[in-house]
Amino acid sequence: MQICLDGEQLTVRDEAVTDDWQLRWAHQPEASLHSTVAHPAIAVGDGDSQVKMNQGNFQLHDTNVERIGLPVVQTFTSTATSATLELAPAPDSPSYLRVLIHYVNGGWHLDFKALAAKLNRFWLRLTAQPSDRFYGGGEQMSYLNLAGRTFPIWTSEPGVGRNKQTAITQAADRNNGGGGDYYTSNYPQATYLTSRHQMVHLATTAYAELDFTDHRYTELSAWAVPDSVWLASAPTLAGLVRLTKDWFGTQPVLPDWANQGVVLGLQGGTQVVRDRVVAAQRAGIKVAGVWLQDWEGPLFTSFGKRLHWDWHWDQDFYPGLDEQIAKWRQQGIRFLGYINPYVVDDGPLFGTAKEAGYLATQADGDVYLVDFGEFNCGVVDLLNPAAYQWYQGIIKQRLIDFDMSGWMADFGEYLPTDVQLAGKADPMLAHNQWPVLWAKLNHDALEHAGKLGEVVPFFRAGGAGTQGYAPLLWAGDQSVDWTPDDGLPSALTGMLTVGLTGNGLTHPDIGGYTSLFGNVRTKELWLRWLELGAFTPFMRTHEGNRPNENFQYYDDYATMRQVARLTRVHQQLAPYLRAVMQENTATGMPVMRPLVLTDEEDEQTWDEHTSYTLGSDLLVAPVLKPGETQRSVYLPGGEWCHLWSGELFRGQRHVTVAAPMGMPPVFYRASSSFANLFSTFR
């Protein structure tokens, strides 16, 4: 049997053949799915999972697994627009799974319904070729091309180091199991694109895996029978990326204030922050906003400086902050803060939430406390409508009414799997859903306050659906070093991968965040991170978890002058950035794009993730290694003009250009309609 998908129509050939069936696109010669008795494409089964969590780091194991292949089409019906199959392990066996194939939003859905009891495992194999390349997977920070590896889909702390061969990862593993690996991510998503112009999405919130290790097929698996698998095809990879807008949503254009300079991440109390803002202005830094993550007060642990998660203005630590916010507003400087979906157990909010029944519980009914590293917190139960509405009110009263123009909407990935939730929801299915609910809650609070499009929360954790709720992402908590898996280069890779699945607006912590085991950031690293930040949609600095041990921009005046120069560059790019953000909103094409989206016919672009295009007309090649004062850059087809010198280069070749501090390799298309704007940077 052959089921052929052609636009919105479906045709069937050889319907009588029930033990060898294919699913294919009319315009492609190879089948996308091919199931036989010897190699069934779909299997179901059951298993037992064991999950351990320690401060957001998870260990997951599956045991007692039974896998039942379903090669036989037991019953089949079809129309011009849909088909229904019931699959069985043998001709004389009852059916185990019903599959409905139908067209939705530019693609085809395979909806699944279990027909037998105790089925909690699922496998699906889609055909592959040795030359196939795979992109997406949510935010993947080690690799752009996913081929040859397996990627678990389970939101978690990424870990420190993220490479089991490095000393810092090994130290983190010995400390609390928090070293991470190449696949650990705040924002994994079971969506990928292929070089044969297919897009696949596994629609489930259960633990899942994307396995690209066998060149004959890609295997999608889940610890539940999924709702569906979505399939789409387009003439180009860029065409597939545009489909993500309809599948998952997209972000609005950032407000004007967000591109009027840098958002300075500062801490330490009213006087300290006020003085540093004044010093920045005197150095010529254009300050668009001041981000005070410790507006609610600090909390010190062995990890470093943390925050007191009770979500009220700490007037002892920040006396007169309300008056200072008003003064900043008059100067065109916005105020930004911090919040997450947990409440610390020694604050008034915890008592209120506990009494009202807004917190997730243990099996015995006591509040479930999560260890965040020397302090414990309750989990606001986002599946409880009353708790959800209450926390919206907290955001409205404590953040929006305090004149915040944005905030870091942190975490979302810590939901334990042995917690009791409203409606007796299964935490194994709720875990990957939690970051999406957290983004939706922030979105709903802004919508009810009439502040959508003006106030900008930014998120690190996510899943399928976050795209329509989170106006901005950031790349998470990188280590303050140059390592490919967890340092400066990983921030760039993560921003490029997450953009391929509908998250077109993202940015990094300038300078990185995590400083542990003697790893501290240098002035050189900070300045190179600044260069990357200047060529992203949103420019924001971070002091890190150990501010006093790490280099800060205000440590010397020469650095402040460099910040001033690059913030002016970012501000001057505002008209171009606005046009590219409008394109993202309208089409789903991300602001930061891997080169493969520019010219996928050119094999030099296939795995390139150390440079990118900002929109279609700017090519940025950040300096990602210490000690480099020049860089080799691959230019796609066309003519490219060096931003700083005006020198013209022919594309489809490598060029080497100088990269002094403050002038990373950046090129613009000579034919760009923004060429006059770009030429002003010489």
Side-chain angles (χ1 to χ4, degrees):
M1 181 189 305
Q2 185 178 97
I3 304 170
C4 184
L5 309 176
D6 188 0
E8 301 182 26
Q9 300 296 307
L10 176 152
T11 58
V12 182
R13 293 176 54 189
D14 302 324
E15 187 174 330
V17 180
T18 60
D19 58 357
D20 185 331
W21 65 280
Q22 300 181 19
L23 187 68
R24 60 179 292 269
W25 301 99
H27 58 279
Q28 293 189 349
E30 306 90 358
S32 293
L33 179 155
H34 188 188
S35 183
T36 66
V37 172
H39 301 286
I42 297 177
V44 292
D46 69 292
D48 298 318
S49 60
Q50 294 84 44
V51 182
K52 293 182 179 180
M53 183 187 79
N54 183 17
Q55 297 176 25
N57 304 290
F58 289 84
Q59 296 179 352
L60 299 98
H61 300 283
D62 202 10
T63 58
N64 303 319
V65 178
E66 180 183 16
R67 180 167 175 158
I68 306 165
L70 303 178
V72 176
V73 179
Q74 196 72 282
T75 65
F76 178 81
T77 59
S78 68
T79 69
T81 58
S82 68
T84 302
L85 305 81
E86 291 192 357
L87 303 179
D92 58 352
S93 167
S95 298
Y96 279 46
L97 190 72
R98 180 179 297 128
V99 185
L100 169 64
I101 305 172
H102 61 120
Y103 186 84
V104 182
N105 280 345
W108 288 82
H109 284 199
L110 279 63
D111 295 343
F112 302 106
K113 180 177 177 56
L115 301 177
K118 296 183 179 179
L119 296 181
N120 61 10
R121 296 294 182 269
F122 174 88
W123 297 266
L124 171 69
R125 289 180 175 178
L126 299 173
T127 58
Q129 295 180 355
S131 61
D132 283 352
R133 304 177 306 282
F134 305 93
Y135 305 102
E139 185 177 49
Q140 296 297 335
M141 292 172 281
S142 293
Y143 301 100
L144 177 68
N145 181 359
L146 311 181
R149 298 175 178 85
T150 298
F151 291 85
I153 306 301
W154 185 259
T155 181
S156 69
E157 281 281 2
V160 178
R162 301 185 67 257
N163 184 325
K164 297 303 185 186
Q165 305 308 310
T166 63
I168 193 169
T169 306
Q170 293 166 5
D173 278 338
R174 288 192 299 270
N175 184 50
N176 65 353
D181 213 327
Y182 71 88
Y183 55 80
T184 45
S185 173
N186 304 119
Y187 191 163
Q189 183 174 318
T191 308
Y192 65 91
L193 298 69
T194 79
S195 54
R196 285 190 288 148
H197 300 151
Q198 298 181 43
M199 185 159 65
V200 180
H201 172 63
L202 179 62
T204 183
T205 59
Y207 172 84
E209 290 186 1
L210 305 178
D211 185 347
F212 303 104
T213 58
D214 196 307
H215 68 267
R216 297 168 300 171
Y217 56 80
T218 297
E219 184 167 85
L220 290 65
S221 61
W223 289 3
V225 175
D227 294 331
S228 58
V229 167
W230 305 355
L231 303 174
S233 182
T236 63
L237 285 173
L240 291 174
V241 172
R242 291 186 180 97
L243 271 178
T244 62
K245 174 179 179 291
D246 295 328
W247 283 18
F248 307 116
T250 190
Q251 305 81 40
V253 175
L254 293 178
D256 288 341
W257 68 262
N259 296 122
Q260 295 306 305
V262 65
V263 174
L264 294 176
L266 299 170
Q267 306 177 69
T270 307
Q271 189 62 49
V272 170
V273 170
R274 182 191 297 123
D275 290 348
R276 285 180 176 155
V277 172
V278 170
Q281 292 172 312
R282 288 175 177 168
I285 297 173
K286 177 60 179 174
V287 182
V290 177
W291 172 53
L292 306 184
Q293 64 171 355
D294 62 348
W295 70 282
E296 72 281 25
L299 188 155
F300 295 93
T301 71
S302 60
F303 177 79
K305 185 177 180 181
R306 305 291 296 275
L307 309 168
H308 191 246
W309 297 353
D310 192 60
W311 319 131
H312 69 271
W313 164 29
D314 188 331
Q315 298 190 48
D316 294 329
F317 195 57
Y318 277 103
L321 180 58
D322 53 347
E323 297 174 358
Q324 184 60 59
I325 291 169
K327 291 178 181 177
W328 282 333
R329 172 76 79 151
Q330 291 174 355
Q331 300 174 39
I333 298 174
R334 300 298 184 110
F335 168 60
L336 296 87
Y338 176 98
I339 194 172
N340 64 50
Y342 313 102
V343 289
V344 68
D345 66 351
D346 66 353
L349 274 185
F350 180 88
T352 299
K354 179 180 179 180
E355 184 176 352
Y358 295 155
L359 302 176
T361 65
Q362 302 178 99
D364 62 7
D366 287 344
V367 170
Y368 194 111
L369 293 178
V370 179
D371 177 9
F372 281 88
E374 299 168 37
F375 66 98
N376 296 319
C377 294
V379 180
V380 178
D381 189 345
L382 304 183
L383 292 176
N384 178 341
Y388 187 94
Q389 186 175 8
W390 171 73
Y391 219 54
Q392 278 190 64
I394 294 298
I395 290 177
K396 167 73 166 56
Q397 297 158 17
R398 306 286 180 90
L399 280 68
I400 298 173
D401 290 350
F402 198 46
D403 201 20
M404 288 190 191
S405 292
W407 52 82
M408 178 179 276
D410 205 358
F411 290 100
E413 60 277 275
Y414 272 50
L415 185 72
T417 58
D418 57 347
V419 71
Q420 305 295 306
L421 299 170
K424 298 183 179 180
D426 183 350
M428 286 294 295
L429 298 178
H431 176 84
N432 279 344
Q433 181 189 10
W434 219 247
V436 183
L437 288 171
W438 174 227
K440 183 178 185 299
L441 187 149
N442 281 262
H443 174 277
D444 290 350
L446 291 173
E447 186 173 43
H448 292 160
K451 294 292 185 177
L452 282 177
E454 177 187 347
V455 174
V456 184
F458 44 99
F459 301 78
R460 73 174 189 176
T466 294
Q467 297 89 332
Y469 299 124
L472 181 67
L473 300 182
W474 96 95
D477 297 344
Q478 279 77 39
S479 289
V480 291
D481 57 33
W482 306 86
T483 56
D485 292 284
D486 196 37
L488 171 57
S490 72
L492 175 55
T493 304
M495 290 188 290
L496 295 182
T497 56
V498 81
L500 293 172
T501 48
N503 297 278
L505 291 177
T506 184
H507 73 294
D509 283 335
I510 292 176
Y513 172 76
T514 305
S515 174
L516 288 173
F517 312 115
N519 185 32
V520 295
R521 73 178 170 213
T522 63
K523 176 179 176 178
E524 180 189 12
L525 177 73
W526 197 95
L527 284 169
R528 291 306 191 187
W529 221 309
L530 173 71
E531 294 171 359
L532 171 61
F535 291 93
T536 66
F538 190 74
M539 194 175 182
R540 179 183 56 83
T541 68
H542 201 314
E543 291 188 340
N545 67 309
R546 298 189 175 193
N548 297 334
E549 299 176 22
N550 286 268
F551 177 81
Q552 306 295 344
Y553 76 89
Y554 45 75
D555 286 345
D556 68 62
Y557 192 72
T559 299
M560 293 179 71
R561 293 296 294 166
Q562 196 70 275
V563 176
R565 177 178 171 274
L566 285 170
T567 54
R568 288 196 299 272
V569 168
H570 184 77
Q571 185 182 17
Q572 285 178 257
L573 285 174
Y576 177 70
L577 285 172
R578 177 156 294 277
V580 178
M581 288 189 288
Q582 288 170 344
E583 183 184 4
N584 171 68
T585 300
T587 70
M589 281 293 285
V591 174
M592 300 173 66
R593 305 170 187 175
L595 298 193
V596 69
L597 289 187
T598 297
D599 187 0
E600 64 176 277
E601 298 301 320
D602 184 348
E603 66 179 48
Q604 294 287 337
T605 69
W606 291 352
D607 295 332
E608 173 55 41
H609 59 107
T610 65
S611 62
Y612 62 99
T613 62
L614 190 66
S616 59
D617 292 357
L618 273 181
L619 189 149
V620 184
V623 175
L624 303 175
K625 297 178 181 178
E628 286 196 342
T629 56
Q630 62 179 22
R631 222 203 105 160
S632 176
V633 182
Y634 184 77
L635 300 177
E639 285 192 315
W640 296 87
C641 195
H642 187 234
L643 186 69
W644 312 116
S645 69
E647 185 177 356
L648 198 63
F649 295 90
R650 176 174 47 84
Q652 289 195 318
R653 64 187 181 117
H654 286 90
V655 300
T656 299
V657 295
M661 201 67 72
M663 301 179 73
V666 180
F667 305 81
Y668 65 88
R669 290 190 185 276
S671 60
S672 171
S673 60
F674 287 88
N676 287 338
L677 170 66
F678 300 145
S679 67
T680 64
F681 292 100
R682 296 175 195 169

